[in-house]
Amino acid sequence: MQSSGASMRSSQRPLAIGAHLIAIAICVLTPLREQSLETIAWWSAGVVLLTMWAQISINGFWSARSIYTGIVILFHLGLVVYPILNLDLRVSDAPMEWLTLPAGPRAIWTSSLGVLSMSLACILVYAQPRSGEPALPEYERELRRVAPRLGSWTVVVSVAAWVYTTASAMGLGFFLASYGAYKSATIDLPMDYIFFGITMGMVLLGTTLDGVPKAALVAFVIFAVLGFPMGLRGEVLFPLVAYALMRARHHPMPRAGSLVVLVLIALFFISGVKELRQTGWGDARDVLTSANPIAGVGELGYTVRTVAEVDQWHQAGELPRNGATYWAPIERLSNRLMPGAENVAAKYDYRLMNVEMRSRAGNLGGSIIAESFRNFGLTGVFVVMFLTGLLCAGIDVASTGAGRQLILGVFFVVLLQHVRNSFTPIPLQLLMGVMLVTVVIFIARSIASVSTDAPNRRAARA
């Protein structure tokens, strides 16, 4: 028999699906896209409430679907708090005039359509995230011992590589620099892969049945303390999210109320960091009084500008790229692996979304919604985000075996990276992640095999 909680979730699902379909119809079939910034902001706020209610009430708080939906919302719809609350349009030292131009409201509308599509896919696949394992075979127990150890070393080495690389490019005082200065100084350095290493290390740590190794904890705290004030919000947030998702599969997690408090504190800190980047440390006391969680939400939401830039290009008559920005990284990776094949230098390959965005709009980063929009227009936004929702659902309903969790964890990591970065590094990151997990599984199986065979060999000698 179903529990009362499961029965309630099952009864809410048809209502949620119907509400999503109605919202999508309103979004697509009415002239909402051309309305004012305030109107679209209020509409998007309704989309946020609908989608988060659907994910949490049906799929549970600690699910890939709920977590990823919330992350996409924060980074693409966070700015709606400004027009809704009539706040000054100001995010750090970044210009905000674009938000009041026609492309600004349309970008928010496009993002809300993507969120609705992804959320619909998430609730169409109905199954609760699996958790708990009544009994672990020897291989599973060994994997949960080996993976955290290698994860600890991966985090430590990756953080050390980040400190060394950044200090070499900017000097020992790099942590006092602005985000723009950091991006300019490290633009041609392999930072995406260093951050991927940190996140993958946290995924491996998430499989532990015990506590986090102290070395990894110290390394990540150093990274967060130095990087977060510089503006590396996603780079610090995403490893924590990946760790929490892996941990939630086999360990009790904090209740939603406790997490809300932590989120409010984090948003307060994000807002304070924003003010510090503008005023400097000399006005730190004033910063503490002016910082607030609402401004923190707006600070995260600046990613939507990438969607606005793509909208402007399309409105100017440029045609969608028809998958070019997705295919180019795969082609470049295959050329690397094929003897004799050559690639154009990445900074001159304008098929890459990060290169095009940087050359035309500056160091804005990327976006999963902006990239799908650039390739296939609004249809691409709907389809790509729908497929993303299906992938998140697949991560939730898969077996709780540690090996399969780690493989799916690789896919969740690249999804997180793609929220506010281009698709460019993802093929190589997927390859690296799968190779790393394969090595971990091989080591665990080898140790388990030796441990199992040892008593048999002793008995045979006796």
Side-chain angles (χ1 to χ4, degrees), residues 107-367:
I108 295 175
W109 176 92
T110 301
S111 298
S112 68
L113 176 64
V115 169
L116 281 169
S117 175
M118 180 180 66
S119 181
L120 175 62
C122 288
I123 58 178
L124 283 176
V125 180
Y126 179 64
Q128 286 301 298
R130 300 186 181 186
S131 61
E133 293 173 88
L136 291 176
E138 180 62 28
Y139 152 66
E140 286 285 336
R141 289 195 295 269
E142 196 59 52
L143 182 57
R144 292 192 186 279
R145 286 193 291 265
V146 171
R149 293 172 185 172
L150 293 180
S152 177
W153 279 105
T154 303
V155 171
V156 170
V157 171
S158 298
V159 170
W162 175 74
V163 172
Y164 174 79
T165 303
T166 309
S168 298
M170 304 180 65
L172 294 179
F174 67 88
F175 52 89
L176 299 175
S178 68
Y179 182 69
Y182 167 81
K183 292 292 289 186
S184 297
T186 61
I187 198 166
D188 294 321
L189 300 175
M191 310 308 291
D192 286 339
Y193 301 103
I194 292 175
F195 296 138
F196 178 74
I198 295 173
T199 310
M200 274 305 305
M202 296 295 284
V203 166
L204 294 174
L205 286 172
T207 62
T208 182
L209 297 176
D210 303 313
V212 177
K214 292 182 179 179
L217 181 62
V218 171
F220 188 80
V221 168
I222 291 173
F223 170 62
V225 169
L226 295 180
F228 202 85
M230 296 170 60
L232 301 181
R233 300 176 296 274
E235 291 81 355
V236 173
L237 175 63
F238 294 161
L240 291 174
V241 169
Y243 171 81
L245 179 67
M246 298 298 293
R247 184 77 166 169
R249 303 302 291 269
H250 59 84
H251 193 274
M253 298 297 287
R255 294 185 177 182
S258 302
L259 191 66
V260 167
V261 174
L262 293 176
V263 169
L264 290 175
I265 294 173
L267 291 174
F268 181 89
F269 185 60
I270 289 170
S271 173
V273 167
K274 177 193 76 172
E275 298 294 335
L276 281 175
R277 294 210 306 268
Q278 289 180 309
T279 64
W281 289 94
D283 297 322
R285 181 175 298 179
D286 294 336
V287 166
L288 291 176
T289 61
S290 62
N292 66 83
I294 293 176
V297 172
E299 176 79 0
L300 291 175
Y302 196 77
T303 298
V304 76
R305 187 184 170 186
T306 59
V307 184
E309 292 294 330
V310 173
D311 184 272
Q312 288 181 320
W313 301 343
H314 289 181
Q315 291 294 317
E318 295 186 30
L319 297 176
R321 302 295 295 274
N322 295 321
T325 76
Y326 293 125
W327 172 248
I330 298 174
E331 179 187 275
R332 293 179 63 85
L333 176 59
S334 64
N335 287 343
R336 284 189 189 184
L337 301 176
M338 292 173 57
E342 295 183 358
N343 282 319
V344 176
K347 62 182 178 181
Y348 299 121
D349 192 343
Y350 290 91
R351 298 174 302 165
L352 302 175
M353 187 68 181
N354 60 322
V355 175
E356 181 180 31
M357 186 65 70
R358 183 173 69 238
S359 64
R360 301 181 66 173
N363 295 322
L364 298 180
S367 155

